[in-house]
Amino acid sequence: MVNIGLLGLGTVGTGIVQIIEDRKNYLQKLIGTEINISKILIRDMNKKRRIGIHEDKLTTDFSEIVGDQDIDIIIEVMGGLEEAYVYIREALNRGKHVVTANKAVVAKHLEELTFLAREKNKAFLYEASVGGGIPIIKQLKEQANLNNIQEIKGILNGTSNFLLTKMIEEDLDFKEALKMSQKLGYAEADPTDDIEGYDTRRKLRILTTIGFKDRVKEESILCQGISSIKTIDIQNIKSMDCTIKLLGTATLKDNKYYALVEPVIIKKNSYFGKVDYATNLVSFVGNKVGELRFYGEGAGSFPTANAILSDVIDIILKNYHKNYSLESNDLDNINKLFQGRYYIRTTLENDTKDKMIRYINEKEITDKLITKEKDVAFITKKILKKEIENIISKFNIRTENYFIGRLEV
């Protein structure tokens, strides 16, 4: 029997319990032993739960789990950062295998926890931290051993993708789409991490560190969200026969890389353009294997629980990368040299609006100019992103009064 300590019994924790129960007989035949959830860490013993769990299995004391020598694997799905990190580190130090879905912990402490697991000869697996049910981490580790990974690209946040899909399909403004997504349970009460790109940045940091075999820090990834997008932007984008997605993109060549999270305007019939609502799509390119794409549910109880239990089975069957290493290739970040074509919309008073139009015409950086009342929208030639920052700074435009999207058309 393999005994598991489960930290958290929310949406994902409940999904884990249900899958183990539903597949109990099959899993026992597959791995030759029973998977038993012997103890579950919860915060409130009196809370009503959607599934029946014997009270003896529940505890509010982590030490009851980490100190139990019969528990082989600890699954962390409690969320949060500091407390979860302390528990994961303690579990590894006590000689437990650890599986987590916690992207915040993995993004911040990936190297430390990977090295600690290796030192203790235990597994630290986190498939569910990126892409929900999409099996991307294991595949990327395997292909990074055989290939030089040249590019990683993805729609990595279901909330932002749902918002943009609804805005494109129904001509909603941002606030309307956000309110709808919160009502349907896609967006949190505080959606900052999703709409400002921070969630995508964490996931891209994890993927690039694995794929590029170097520590790519969160702060080295340029990050721009979608909260300032307006209905006029959606109308302008649709007039180009395009759609818009929040993409994480990283490219590596000659030991130099750039990594960005930003809204990207793409053709609606492109393979990223066809990914709608809360689904995710991640692709990476290896110099030997070419491009591989992974599509599926990016979150949710069962997809995430499925990814977690895939890690658990790999541990039981000893089918994980025991010797996987995070090397240091001393890569150079060249974000400041990144060039692209951009759609820029600003909302300005008339005198400032006229000055900006004169300025961008003098600099000869535009391919197309669209004006409407106080809004000035233009599409640039291929320019450094720094040049856009200079325009925003020169005219002292507040964040809520401009929107920038890179063109991939």
Side-chain angles (χ1 to χ4, degrees):
M1 179 182 292
V2 175
N3 291 311
I4 289 175
L6 178 61
L7 311 184
L9 193 57
T11 300
V12 177
T14 299
I16 291 168
V17 174
Q18 289 180 310
I19 291 176
I20 289 175
E21 186 60 33
D22 290 346
R23 304 290 286 176
K24 185 175 183 178
N25 293 334
Y26 178 80
L27 290 173
Q28 188 164 352
K29 291 177 184 177
L30 174 69
I31 62 179
T33 188
E34 181 183 350
I35 298 177
N36 173 54
I37 297 180
S38 58
K39 215 70 173 173
I40 304 173
L41 182 70
I42 58 172
R43 299 189 187 279
D44 182 1
M45 292 291 287
N46 298 315
K47 182 179 177 179
K48 291 184 178 180
R49 308 186 189 281
R50 291 190 290 121
I51 54 173
I53 297 288
H54 198 284
E55 195 171 291
D56 289 348
K57 287 183 178 284
L58 304 178
T59 181
T60 58
D61 185 359
F62 174 65
S63 65
E64 285 188 32
I65 295 177
V66 78
D68 188 337
Q69 295 186 1
D70 292 329
I71 288 178
D72 309 288
I73 302 171
I74 287 183
I75 299 173
E76 185 278 310
V77 288
M78 57 190 290
L81 178 58
E82 294 306 327
E83 188 178 35
Y85 161 65
V86 170
Y87 288 171
I88 290 171
R89 186 181 60 186
E90 179 67 13
L92 289 169
N93 273 317
R94 294 284 195 101
K96 313 290 187 186
H97 299 289
V98 173
V99 176
T100 182
N102 195 320
K103 53 189 172 282
V105 171
V106 177
K108 187 169 183 179
H109 301 288
L110 176 57
E111 291 81 6
E112 177 195 350
L113 296 175
T114 298
F115 296 143
L116 178 58
R118 186 188 306 156
E119 177 188 320
K120 300 296 182 180
N121 197 29
K122 295 297 174 182
F124 171 59
L125 301 182
Y126 42 89
E127 184 65 68
S129 67
V130 178
I134 302 173
I136 183 67
I137 299 289
K138 185 177 179 181
Q139 291 296 324
L140 184 57
K141 285 180 177 178
E142 289 179 353
Q143 296 307 320
N145 288 332
L146 300 171
N147 292 255
N148 294 325
I149 303 301
Q150 300 168 328
E151 182 184 68
I152 298 169
K153 186 175 183 178
I155 296 171
L156 297 168
N157 181 269
T159 300
S160 62
N161 205 45
F162 179 88
L163 284 168
L164 293 172
T165 300
K166 298 303 286 186
M167 291 183 75
I168 287 285
E169 288 189 348
E170 300 181 23
D171 288 321
L172 299 179
D173 68 27
F174 181 80
K175 290 182 179 179
E176 287 177 317
L178 177 58
K179 187 175 180 181
M180 178 186 293
S181 68
Q182 288 172 324
K183 186 176 181 180
L184 294 172
Y186 290 110
E188 302 286 346
D190 179 1
T192 303
D193 280 3
D194 296 320
I195 64 176
E196 298 302 344
Y198 306 144
D199 176 78
T200 298
R201 182 171 62 181
R202 292 187 192 108
K203 294 170 181 175
L204 187 62
R205 177 296 207 248
I206 295 168
L207 293 177
T208 49
T209 296
I210 293 169
F212 295 169
K213 290 188 176 293
D214 197 22
R215 183 175 185 179
V216 176
K217 299 178 182 179
E218 278 190 62
E219 55 266 30
S220 70
I221 300 173
L222 292 180
C223 188
Q224 177 196 332
I226 61 171
S227 60
S228 64
I229 193 169
K230 292 171 58 175
T231 306
I232 187 171
D233 301 313
I234 295 297
Q235 292 169 349
N236 288 337
I237 290 164
K238 289 171 72 172
S239 72
M240 301 180 225
D241 196 31
C242 288
T243 187
I244 185 163
K245 303 294 180 183
L246 183 68
L247 293 182
T249 306
T251 299
L252 174 64
K253 185 178 181 181
D254 298 330
N255 266 28
K256 297 179 176 63
Y257 77 94
Y258 65 78
L260 314 99
V261 173
E262 59 186 349
V264 180
I265 297 167
I266 52 181
K267 286 295 182 183
K268 63 183 182 182
N269 61 353
S270 64
Y271 64 83
F272 275 105
K274 293 177 182 178
V275 179
D276 289 329
Y277 299 103
T279 49
N280 286 186
L281 173 64
V282 189
S283 73
F284 62 83
V285 178
N287 66 323
K288 305 297 185 186
V289 74
E291 184 179 20
L292 299 177
R293 302 172 189 168
F294 301 82
Y295 171 88
E297 294 294 327
S301 174
F302 288 124
T304 306
N306 187 81
I308 288 166
L309 290 173
S310 293
D311 279 344
V312 169
I313 291 171
D314 279 346
I315 291 171
I316 295 169
L317 297 178
K318 298 180 171 59
N319 189 30
Y320 61 94
H321 293 264
K322 296 179 183 178
N323 298 318
Y324 179 77
S325 63
L326 296 172
E327 300 172 20
S328 181
N329 289 329
D330 296 322
L331 304 180
D332 293 326
N333 182 283
I334 55 169
N335 284 346
K336 63 183 179 181
L337 301 178
F338 180 79
Q339 291 185 313
R341 294 177 65 234
Y342 290 90
Y343 164 90
I344 305 170
R345 188 267 310 150
T346 62
T347 303
L348 304 167
E349 295 300 327
N350 284 334
D351 57 339
T352 309
K353 173 183 169 183
D354 293 338
K355 289 177 183 177
M356 171 175 277
I357 292 172
R358 283 197 300 271
Y359 178 80
I360 61 177
N361 284 335
E362 288 170 4
K363 293 293 184 180
E364 298 182 340
I365 62 172
T366 61
D367 274 340
K368 185 177 181 180
L369 180 66
I370 310 163
T371 61
K372 183 178 179 181
E373 298 174 355
K374 293 183 178 182
D375 293 305
V376 178
F378 56 98
I379 295 171
T380 72
K381 299 174 182 176
K382 196 170 186 179
I383 59 173
L384 291 168
K385 197 157 189 177
K386 183 68 177 177
E387 293 182 64
I388 300 172
E389 295 170 2
N390 290 340
I391 295 172
I392 300 301
S393 176
K394 179 178 178 62
F395 292 95
N396 197 27
I397 308 171
R398 296 196 303 270
T399 303
E400 64 270 21
N401 286 336
Y402 71 86
F403 177 75
I404 303 169
R406 181 164 59 84
L407 272 74
E408 280 191 5
V409 293

